[in-house]
């Protein structure tokens, strides 16, 4: 049984209300932080904890915070990125819905550490229910004196604003999020300058994921060093993994980083193995934008070591035989899944969500989708697979923001590991046209 | 002053200069092409990705190369920076792919496009484009729109450089013009088909690098290379009155702002000068506009060159023969 620090209390009935949350030790950490610690001590604890950004990139949070230290006087902002729109990832929604006060507590402690007096929570527009839950919890926190002027008599004041997105995936990119928050079109900004220098309203800003900010609470409660004992190597702490696909127990699980993928997939405590006794075909371990890995490479690295759920282990082997932890969207495909269809589906998503600002992403995502659509519906030609590899390579690294990379990686990796499926589609157009959901294994049955 | 080396040319530039500006100071073939950057409009650049260059050395302090190619128009120079543009095969290959991306949805209707001959995209694809296309799907299509009585928007040709958006936002007061939708469905548009009603709106024609925004008073009158550009000025209350008049015989076919060697407007002109004064008597003609020799517009213009510059191509060979 892994240690749980974020979701240990979610099963208590009524934990989303402030009374129950307070009765179970809620807001005690906040009192400790505000009354006994200085902002720089909090930042120091976060640094010691080794916490890394849970939104996907895995950048050390303490380091991100310390970029603000030397900047000039005047307002500075903390922005919480709750624009969780990655296909396969649904952990932030879970956290906000089940235990909103944990996030609020984390926000207050983090704002205190950063010296921010206004904090914005940018919530994905589709999360109507969660926006309601969060807003209600914030009102409760105001009423209890944890928000507003002179919190707990310490002289620290903080206002939290909840902002609803309007349905664009790109607004989860931190600079596009800031543009959107300012009321502009959600186009990512050119970097540098980074948000730590010139962020919201041109002021120094830190943008963190929901899970990252929630994790600040156990870090302060336990102490950075104690928190760092959870996990493995540079991947410290716990991570929420949203597991979906053809598994017995889909859902959100809090795991200690360093748990083996095999255990996570097959143990009954977590995913509980594949449904209906099917065999594993592939897994996307970190949300749709990270490379897909075939079953043998996800359970063992290319060197034959056990693959662990950690930043380092999942990216072991680079993009040749590895992937990324990303935002923790664990998508499992069984033997019947069609990789071509899945790749087309992802590609369609990125085509739809590209902001259209820079040419490689605007034109390339659409082009890839059209070629994949052609292959999927039996109109592909022998050149198409190499064409896709070439387009993906030409988008990757040449765009303003990471959406270009996120669109290119799934396509490139699917072809790298499942080239035979693409070729099968091209070589057998008649079969492909007649069967709805298809994989080579199914064809063999259909043909024989 | 910061020292920067671009393609083995070293130059000292003031702080805050971007790589592209430094390259333009050096001049010549090492200047990266720029489709979206426009030095006179704040905030432009970084979008088209044609100006990507490789930074082989970040600065004097940090000798590491930058991990990815950077947009030279928006990356400031650091002391001791070493930049590779035409000397890096990676940069040239990437530029080729960017041109491919820009062209997959472009209609390539140059034979009937008024911009042909002075089109940045045409020049760019001439230098970096492929001779065939790998794109087999249908190109995106939009209806043509008249924005105001003098400007035609031909969205099919647009490469979404956002220059016109910045031009209207910065030169005029009203904000009725911007980008709608997203991804490859994005389009330049005016607020519910409003016309841009402003005395400087005509400048969007000059800042457009392609034939997406054209002058309706000149549409299909003549190919640009059959007209002769002349520097001219007039007394104007709204703008400087300095413009270029493009003559067909003794008639003025169109009026544009004066553009420098990087195809950027020197001084923005008002709509009155641009659209309403097409009589030779309205203007004081200064003389022929200097046009770059490589431009198709210079095709019918002869230039007097100095005697000393004339080189006899066979002279050296004759001398060598004589020595033997």
């Amino acid at each position: 049984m892994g240690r749980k620090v974020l979701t240990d209390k979610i099963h208590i009935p009524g934990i989303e209300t402030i009374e129950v949350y307070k009765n179970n030790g809620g807001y005690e950490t906040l009192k400790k932080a505000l009354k006994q610690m200085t902002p720089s001590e909090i930042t120091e604890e976060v640094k010691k904890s080794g916490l890394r950004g849970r939104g996907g990139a895995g950048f050390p949070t303490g380091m991100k915070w310390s970029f603000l230290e030397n900047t000039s006087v005047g307002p500075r902002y903390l922005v919480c990125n709750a624009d969780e729109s990655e296909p396969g990832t649904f952990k932030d929604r879970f956290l906000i819905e089940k235990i909103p006060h944990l996030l609020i507590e984390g926000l207050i402690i983090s704002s205190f550490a950063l010296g921010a007096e206004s904090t914005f929570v940018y919530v994905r527009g589709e999360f109507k229910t969660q926006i309601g839950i969060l807003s209600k919890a914030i009102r409760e926190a105001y009423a209890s004196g944890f928000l507003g002027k002179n919190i707990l008599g310490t002289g620290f004041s903080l206002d939290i604003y909840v902002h609803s997105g309007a349905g664009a995936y790109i607004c989860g990119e931190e600079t596009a999020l800031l543009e959107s928050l300012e009321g502009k079109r959600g186009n990512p900004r050119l970097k540098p300058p980074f948000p730590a220098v010139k962020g919201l309203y041109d002021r120094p800003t830190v943008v963190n994921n929901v899970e990252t900010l929630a994790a600040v609470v156990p870090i302060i409660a336990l102490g950075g060093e104690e928190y760092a004992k959870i996990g493995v190597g540079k991947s410290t702490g716990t991570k929420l993994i949203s597991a979906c696909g053809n598994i017995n127990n889909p859902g959100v699980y809090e795991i200690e980083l360093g748990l083996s993928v095999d255990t996570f997939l097959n143990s009954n405590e977590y995913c509980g193995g594949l449904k209906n006794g099917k065999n594993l075909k592939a897994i996307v371990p970190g949300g749709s934008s990270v490379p897909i890995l075939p079953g043998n490479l996800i359970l063992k690295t290319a060197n034959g070591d056990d693959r662990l759920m950690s930043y380092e282990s999942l990216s072991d082997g680079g993009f040749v035989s590895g992937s990324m932890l990303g935002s923790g969207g664990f998508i499992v495909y069984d033997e019947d899944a069609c990789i071509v269809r899945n790749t087309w589906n992802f590609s369609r998503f990125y085509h739809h969500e590209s902001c259209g600002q820079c040419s490689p992403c605007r034109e390339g995502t659409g082009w890839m989708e059209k070629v994949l659509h052609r292959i999927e519906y039996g109109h592909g030609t022998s050149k198409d697979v190499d064409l896709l590899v070439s387009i993906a390579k030409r988008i990757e690294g040449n765009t303003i923001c990471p959406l270009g990379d996120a669109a290119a990686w799934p396509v490139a990796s699917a072809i790298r590991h499942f080239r035979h499926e693409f070729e099968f589609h091209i070589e057998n157009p008649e079969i492909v046209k007649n069967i709805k959901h298809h994989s080579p294994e199914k064809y063999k049955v259909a043909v024989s | 002053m910061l020292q920067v080396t671009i393609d083995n040319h070293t130059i000292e530039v003031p702080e805050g200069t971007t790589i592209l500006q430094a390259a333009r100071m050096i001049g010549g073939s090492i200047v990266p092409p720029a489709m979206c950057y426009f030095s006179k409009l704040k905030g432009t650049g970084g979008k088209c990705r044609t100006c990507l260059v490789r930074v082989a050395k970040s600065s004097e302090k940090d000798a590491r190369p930058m991990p990815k190619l950077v947009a030279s128009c928006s990356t400031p120079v650091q002391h001791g920076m070493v930049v590779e543009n035409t000397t890096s095969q990676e940069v040239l290959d990437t530029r080729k792919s960017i041109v491919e991306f820009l062209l997959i949805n472009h209609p390539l209707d140059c034979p009937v496009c008024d911009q042909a001959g002075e089109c940045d995209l045409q020049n760019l694809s001439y230098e970096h484009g492929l001779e065939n296309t790998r794109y087999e799907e249908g190109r995106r299509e939009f209806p043509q729109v008249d924005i105001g009585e003098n400007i035609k928007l031909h969205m099919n040709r647009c490469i979404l450089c956002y220059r016109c958006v910045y031009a209207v936002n910065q030169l005029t007061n009203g904000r009725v013009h911007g980008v709608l939708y997203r991804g490859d469905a994005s389009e330049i548009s005016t607020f519910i088909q409003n016309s841009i009603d402003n005395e400087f709106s005509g400048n969007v024609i000059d800042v457009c690098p392609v034939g997406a925004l054209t002058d309706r008073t000149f549409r299909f009158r003549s190919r640009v290379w059959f007209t002769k550009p002349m520097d001219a000025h007039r007394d104007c209350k709204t703008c400087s009155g300095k413009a270029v008049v493009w003559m067909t015989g003794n008639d003025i076919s169109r009026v544009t702002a004066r553009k420098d060697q990087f195809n950027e407007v020197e001084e923005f002109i008002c709509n009155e000068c641009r659209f309403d004064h097409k009589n030779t008597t309205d203007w004081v003609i200064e003389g022929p506009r200097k046009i770059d020799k490589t431009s198709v517009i210079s095709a019918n213009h002869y230039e007097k060159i100095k005697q000393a510059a004339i080189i006899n191509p066979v002279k050296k060979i004759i001398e060598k023969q004589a020595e033997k």
Side-chain angles (χ1 to χ4, degrees):
Chain A
M1 186 80 186
R3 198 163 163 184
K4 289 186 175 139
V5 292
L6 295 172
T7 58
D8 49 348
K9 293 176 199 154
I10 54 159
H11 300 296
I12 302 169
I15 192 74
E16 70 277 4
T17 60
I18 199 157
E19 290 80 32
V20 181
Y21 184 71
K22 262 161 75 178
N23 292 340
N24 286 284
Y27 289 108
E28 288 305 318
T29 316
L30 174 72
K31 288 174 191 161
K32 177 186 169 190
L34 258 59
K35 289 186 171 161
Q36 297 166 22
M37 297 172 84
T38 63
S40 54
E41 276 170 14
I42 298 174
T43 309
E44 204 50 46
E45 287 301 317
V46 174
K47 267 188 194 168
K48 272 190 217 158
S49 74
L51 177 68
R52 293 169 68 175
R54 301 293 194 230
F59 191 81
T61 308
M63 197 192 282
K64 201 178 205 176
W65 286 13
S66 61
F67 290 149
L68 275 195
E69 274 173 13
N70 302 326
T71 47
S72 60
V73 289
R76 39 178 61 187
Y77 301 110
L78 172 67
V79 176
C80 173
N81 186 346
D83 191 60
E84 180 180 56
S85 327
E86 178 106 342
T89 307
F90 43 89
K91 63 186 179 65
D92 295 343
R93 181 178 76 175
F94 176 81
L95 208 57
I96 294 175
E97 196 175 313
K98 296 287 180 193
I99 186 159
H101 284 288
L102 182 72
L103 172 64
I104 296 169
E105 193 175 355
L107 282 169
I108 304 170
I109 299 173
S110 310
S111 305
F112 178 66
L114 294 164
E117 296 197 336
S118 299
T119 291
F120 299 86
V121 188
Y122 189 99
V123 192
R124 177 180 178 184
E126 287 87 343
F127 289 177
K128 288 268 184 291
T129 322
Q130 288 75 12
I131 290 173
I133 293 170
L134 186 63
S135 305
K136 183 171 167 277
I138 288 173
R139 281 198 298 276
E140 285 176 344
Y142 268 107
S144 305
F146 295 124
L147 283 172
K149 296 262 177 273
N150 194 13
I151 298 167
L152 302 174
T154 54
F156 172 65
S157 305
L158 176 69
D159 287 310
I160 295 182
Y161 303 92
V162 177
H163 184 96
S164 163
Y169 170 72
I170 189 63
C171 291
E173 198 275 342
E174 58 176 4
T175 54
L177 187 152
L178 296 178
E179 287 279 297
S180 173
L181 207 48
E182 287 177 10
K184 299 176 192 156
R185 184 185 161 87
N187 281 355
R189 295 177 185 168
L190 298 169
K191 284 170 271 185
F194 288 93
V197 181
K198 224 176 172 189
L200 187 63
Y201 306 116
D202 282 357
R203 297 300 309 166
T205 305
V206 165
V207 185
N208 277 142
N209 179 258
V210 170
E211 194 190 340
T212 316
L213 290 167
V216 170
V217 180
I219 287 171
I220 300 303
L222 297 169
E225 278 167 16
E226 185 63 29
Y227 183 86
K229 284 180 192 160
I230 312 171
V232 57
K234 282 186 176 170
S235 303
T236 59
T238 64
K239 173 95 187 74
L240 295 179
I241 304 287
S242 47
C244 62
N246 307 325
I247 45 174
N248 281 319
N249 311 324
V252 180
Y253 298 98
E254 183 175 6
I255 59 155
E256 280 188 34
L257 286 167
L259 183 77
S260 82
V261 176
D262 193 20
T263 316
F264 183 69
L265 178 66
N266 292 319
S267 110
N268 279 332
E269 192 187 332
Y270 301 109
C271 301
L274 275 85
K275 247 184 187 171
N276 305 328
K278 299 273 184 188
N279 292 321
L280 175 67
K281 184 180 219 174
I283 288 180
V284 174
S288 65
S289 44
V290 308
I292 190 169
L293 282 182
N296 55 336
L297 279 174
I298 188 74
L299 298 175
K300 298 266 182 206
T301 64
N303 303 329
D305 301 331
D306 274 349
R307 182 86 71 181
L308 310 177
M309 298 291 284
S310 74
Y311 292 96
E312 289 76 25
S313 181
L314 278 173
S315 54
D316 184 272
F319 281 179
V320 180
S321 64
S323 183
M324 282 163 79
L325 180 61
S327 53
F330 194 81
I331 314 172
V332 183
Y333 301 92
D334 69 18
E335 56 193 298
D336 291 342
C338 173
I339 298 297
V340 178
R341 191 173 185 87
N342 176 64
T343 312
W344 167 58
N345 189 25
F346 281 173
S347 195
R348 189 174 56 166
F349 173 79
Y350 289 110
H351 173 208
H352 185 249
E353 297 296 344
S354 165
C355 80
Q357 197 181 192
C358 63
S359 355
C361 178
R362 178 183 67 236
E363 308 293 350
T365 50
W367 192 0
M368 284 199 302
E369 196 231 307
K370 285 170 190 160
V371 176
L372 280 163
H373 181 268
R374 206 161 67 198
I375 298 175
E376 164 67 12
Y377 286 95
H379 303 288
T381 59
S382 55
K383 286 185 216 151
D384 281 349
V385 181
D386 288 326
L387 176 64
L388 278 174
V389 174
S390 160
I391 303 170
K393 201 174 157 221
R394 287 172 167 206
I395 299 173
E396 190 186 333
N398 293 332
T399 53
I400 294 175
C401 81
L403 193 137
D405 300 341
W409 290 341
V411 176
S413 63
I415 295 175
R416 192 180 306 123
H417 300 300
F418 296 96
R419 196 181 180 101
H420 59 280
E421 290 204 15
F422 290 85
E423 282 164 356
F424 187 92
H425 275 68
I426 291 164
E427 285 156 13
N428 302 286
E430 286 314 312
I431 305 174
V432 178
K433 279 176 198 166
N434 293 331
I435 304 177
K436 221 177 174 188
H437 294 285
H438 29 258
S439 69
E441 286 77 5
K442 258 199 170 169
Y443 298 140
K444 277 171 204 155
V445 180
V447 172
S448 63
Chain B
M1 295 296 266
L2 309 171
Q3 202 180 52
V4 55
T5 307
I6 305 170
D7 283 354
N8 306 323
H9 295 72
T10 303
I11 190 173
E12 290 214 327
V13 294
E15 199 148 329
T17 312
T18 61
I19 298 174
L20 182 70
Q21 286 164 342
R24 284 182 175 185
M25 288 175 198
I26 298 168
S29 62
I30 66 144
V31 184
M35 301 296 289
C36 67
Y37 172 76
F38 201 85
S39 62
K40 284 165 190 78
L41 297 172
K42 224 179 125 201
T44 51
K47 294 184 169 61
C48 70
R49 316 307 278 176
T50 52
C51 71
L52 290 180
V53 292
R54 185 170 177 271
V55 177
K57 185 182 165 193
S58 302
S59 68
E60 200 58 58
K61 285 180 202 155
D62 181 7
R64 289 175 303 173
M66 286 194 184
K68 288 199 248 176
L69 301 184
V70 299
S72 60
C73 62
S74 57
T75 309
V77 162
Q78 280 164 348
H79 187 64
M81 191 184 253
V82 177
V83 180
E84 291 171 357
N85 177 25
T86 56
T87 49
S88 160
Q89 194 54 43
E90 188 193 355
V91 171
L92 294 176
D93 289 347
T94 305
R95 199 159 289 156
K96 216 168 212 165
S97 52
I98 302 293
V99 176
E100 185 182 30
F101 283 134
L102 287 175
L103 290 180
I104 60 169
N105 273 310
H106 190 79
L108 295 169
D109 56 349
C110 306
V112 291
C113 176
D114 280 306
Q115 190 84 1
E118 51 178 12
C119 174
D120 290 349
L121 186 61
Q122 209 174 29
N123 296 341
L124 186 75
S125 37
Y126 181 72
E127 284 160 19
H128 300 281
L130 300 165
E131 57 268 34
N132 52 8
T133 178
R134 302 189 293 167
Y135 186 72
E136 293 168 16
E137 281 73 17
R139 289 160 200 265
R140 63 166 176 258
E141 279 178 37
F142 300 91
Q144 293 179 27
V145 181
D146 292 334
I147 40 179
E149 56 183 61
N150 293 318
I151 304 166
K152 185 78 152 184
L153 170 63
H154 204 307
M155 194 54 214
N156 289 357
R157 295 172 182 159
C158 179
I159 58 163
L160 284 161
C161 70
Y162 284 57
R163 275 183 186 179
C164 60
V165 177
Y166 286 100
V168 172
N169 283 356
Q170 289 170 29
L171 296 179
T172 68
N173 295 325
R175 191 175 177 277
V176 292
H177 169 252
V179 178
L180 293 184
Y181 312 118
R182 69 176 178 227
D184 60 4
S186 312
E187 57 177 295
I188 300 288
S189 185
T190 52
F191 181 60
I192 318 185
Q193 306 282 300
N194 251 337
S195 57
I196 309 177
D197 188 15
N198 190 290
E199 54 198 5
F200 278 90
S201 63
N203 287 297
V204 296
I205 298 165
D206 280 345
V207 300
C208 183
V210 294
L213 289 159
T214 47
D215 183 344
R216 285 184 72 200
T217 64
F218 179 63
R219 251 171 103 77
F220 305 131
R221 297 285 156 79
S222 171
R223 308 308 314 223
V224 289
W225 55 86
F226 293 135
T227 58
K228 287 192 176 140
M230 305 289 240
D231 277 340
H233 66 266
R234 60 180 284 273
D235 279 332
C236 179
K237 281 177 187 139
T238 26
C239 69
S240 67
K242 289 179 185 163
V244 180
V245 294
W246 298 72
M247 318 267 300
T248 313
N250 288 328
D251 299 327
I252 294 175
S253 313
R254 67 163 178 166
V255 181
T256 67
R258 296 182 184 181
K259 290 188 183 181
D260 63 15
Q261 55 169 321
F262 304 113
N263 237 347
E264 287 193 4
V265 171
E266 286 171 8
E267 277 175 274
F268 292 107
I269 59 167
C270 67
N271 285 3
E272 196 192 334
C273 290
R274 184 187 301 271
F275 299 121
D276 300 340
H277 294 277
K278 298 281 177 82
N279 292 323
T280 332
T281 48
D282 294 340
W283 294 90
V284 181
I285 310 266
E286 295 166 15
R289 177 86 186 151
K290 179 120 174 56
I291 295 287
D292 191 51
K293 261 196 299 200
T294 54
S295 166
V296 66
I297 301 169
S298 71
N300 300 320
H301 308 287
Y302 296 99
E303 215 179 302
K304 199 177 173 188
I305 50 171
K306 286 180 198 154
Q307 195 66 28
I310 299 173
I311 300 160
N312 187 340
V314 289
K315 194 181 168 194
K316 270 191 182 167
I317 303 167
I318 295 166
E319 280 171 359
K320 265 193 182 169
Q321 292 288 340
E323 276 171 24
K324 283 178 187 171

